[in-house]
Amino acid sequence: MIRAISVRFMITLCCIFAVLHVVLGIANLDLVASTWQPIAAMLIYLGATALVLWPGQGRLGSPAAFLILLAIVTMMLLVNSVLPRDTWPGYASWHMAATYTLLVVVNLRGRVALSWCGAAISLVLTTWWASGTSLGVVGGLMMNIATVGWLTIATLIGRLLGTNDQQVGDYSADAVAAADWYAAERALNVSRTQWIHHVQELAGTALGRVADPDYELTESDRREFLLIEAQFRDEIRGRVLATEEVLEAARRARERGVTVRLLDDRRLELAPRLLAAVSESVVSILNQARGGTVTARARPEGGSTAVTILSSRDGNTEPTLVEFPDPRGQ
C-alpha cells in the first residue's frame, strides 16, 4: 500500500463506506424482485472488503486480487438479476458504489491493471443488463460514470503519492549517505587526532632533541630513536598483532639485540580468544629470545593458518615455528 496513506485511515474510511453501502442496500430491498440475491451479495461484499483490507506488506497478493474481481462479478450478477427494469434503480443499485470502493482500494494497493480490468468488467455487465431494460445502453453507461471517475482519481493520486514516496525514499537515502559520510569523516579526524597525540607522546621528546641545533645527540639517544622508530613500524605493519603487551616485549627484545618483525597480511581482526593466545605466545617467545630473529605474521584470510611465529637464533640452530590454525579456514 502507498506509504503516504495511513493504513488505519484507509481501513476506517473503507469500513465506513462498506457499512453505508450495506445500509443503503437493506433500506431499498423493497425495490428488488427478490431479497436473497442482494443479501448474498452484501455478505460477499463484506468478505471482499475484509480481504482487500487485510494487512500485508507491499502490493496486494495476486490470489486476493483475483478473488476480489470474482466477488465483484458475482455481486454484479446477483444484484442485477433482481433490479427493477422499468425505472431507475436508485440506491437499490448499491453494488455499483461497493464495486468502485473495492476497485479503488485494489488500485491503491498496487494492482492498477487489475483494478481497471474490474472496472471494464463492471462496465460490460452493467451495460449488458441495462440494454434489456428501459434504461438502455446509455443508462448503463451512466451508471458506470462514478466507477470510472473514482478509479481515474485513485490512479492519478496513487501515481502522485508513489512519486512522493520515491522522492521521500531518495531524500532519506541521501540523508543516510550524508550521515554516513559525516560519521566516517568524524571517525577519520578522531583517528588522526589520536595518532598525532600518540606520536607526540611517544616521540615528542626525541623529535625535540633532533630539532634542537644546540643539542648534541649521544649514542644512547640514537638507540632510543631506533627503538621508537621500530615501535611505529610495528604498529603500522603489525597492526592486529601490535598489542600493548607485544610492543613492550618487542622493545625489551630489541634492547637485547633481537630482530623483531611484526607483519599483518590479514587486514582483518582476529577473534578475541585467538588474539589473546597469539599475544601470549609472541610475548613468551620474545622474552626468551637472547638474539636472532623473531617474526610474527598474521596470514591472509582463507588459508588454514591464521598466525605464524618463526624464531631463529644465530648459527646453525633449527628455527622454531609456531602456528595458530584459522577456525574460518577449516
Side-chain angles (χ1 to χ4, degrees):
M1 188 177 293
I2 296 173
R3 291 175 294 170
I5 299 179
S6 169
V7 174
R8 182 175 297 178
F9 173 78
M10 173 75 76
I11 293 175
T12 302
L13 186 62
C14 193
C15 288
I16 291 174
F17 275 110
V19 172
L20 178 61
H21 297 152
V22 171
V23 170
L24 289 175
I26 294 175
N28 290 272
L29 287 176
D30 58 324
L31 298 178
V32 298
S34 176
T35 59
W36 73 265
Q37 291 92 336
I39 292 176
M42 292 175 192
L43 295 176
I44 293 174
Y45 173 53
L46 293 176
T49 300
L51 181 62
V52 78
L53 294 179
W54 193 264
Q57 297 295 329
R59 303 174 65 194
L60 182 67
S62 296
F66 283 108
L67 282 175
I68 291 167
L69 290 184
L70 179 60
I72 289 173
V73 171
T74 306
M75 287 166 49
M76 299 286 296
L77 294 175
L78 287 173
V79 179
N80 286 348
S81 66
V82 295
L83 288 178
R85 294 179 172 272
D86 54 351
T87 61
W88 185 263
Y91 288 119
S93 60
W94 60 271
H95 63 301
M96 297 297 301
T99 295
Y100 68 67
T101 300
L102 290 174
L103 292 177
V104 165
V105 180
V106 170
N107 186 291
L108 293 178
R109 292 203 62 178
R111 294 292 180 176
V112 178
L114 283 178
S115 68
W116 279 103
C117 288
I121 293 173
S122 173
L123 177 65
V124 170
L125 292 178
T126 303
T127 305
W128 174 72
W129 166 81
S131 65
T133 68
S134 60
L135 300 177
V137 174
V138 176
L141 293 175
M142 291 179 63
M143 293 179 70
N144 284 277
I145 291 177
T147 301
V148 174
W150 278 108
L151 201 56
T152 300
I153 294 173
T155 302
L156 295 176
I157 292 177
R159 185 177 296 274
L160 176 63
L161 294 180
T163 302
N164 178 70
D165 285 345
Q166 184 177 1
Q167 291 177 347
V168 170
D170 293 340
Y171 294 151
S172 299
D174 292 342
V176 171
D180 291 342
W181 176 85
Y182 176 78
E185 287 294 313
R186 181 65 178 172
L188 182 59
N189 290 334
V190 171
S191 178
R192 288 171 178 169
T193 301
Q194 292 176 344
W195 178 252
I196 290 173
H197 289 165
H198 176 63
V199 171
Q200 290 176 343
E201 180 181 357
L202 186 62
T205 303
L207 292 174
R209 293 176 183 176
V210 173
D212 187 355
D214 298 328
Y215 184 83
E216 184 175 352
L217 296 176
T218 65
E219 190 62 29
S220 176
D221 291 330
R222 291 185 173 86
R223 288 195 298 269
E224 179 65 20
F225 296 163
L226 290 174
L227 292 174
I228 294 174
E229 183 272 336
Q231 180 171 339
F232 282 135
R233 186 171 63 250
D234 288 342
E235 293 177 356
I236 296 173
R237 297 172 62 186
R239 207 185 63 85
V240 69
L241 299 177
T243 63
E244 183 177 352
E245 296 81 4
V246 171
L247 292 176
E248 293 178 358
R251 178 184 176 91
R252 293 192 300 267
R254 289 188 175 105
E255 290 176 346
R256 298 192 300 271
V258 181
T259 301
V260 181
R261 300 190 184 96
L262 301 180
L263 304 173
D264 182 6
D265 296 332
R266 191 177 186 84
R267 300 303 177 187
L268 292 173
E269 300 298 329
L270 295 172
R273 182 176 299 180
L274 177 59
L275 179 59
V278 169
S279 297
E280 182 179 358
S281 181
V282 172
V283 170
S284 176
I285 293 173
L286 289 174
N287 289 338
Q288 295 176 18
R290 294 297 180 267
T293 302
V294 176
T295 302
R297 184 189 301 272
R299 295 291 180 177
E301 189 180 26
S304 59
T305 304
V307 178
T308 58
I309 307 172
L310 180 65
S311 61
S312 59
R313 299 180 181 179
D314 296 332
N316 298 325
T317 306
E318 187 72 20
T320 302
L321 177 63
V322 178
E323 295 182 336
F324 289 85
D326 189 348
R328 298 181 182 179
Q330 294 178 349

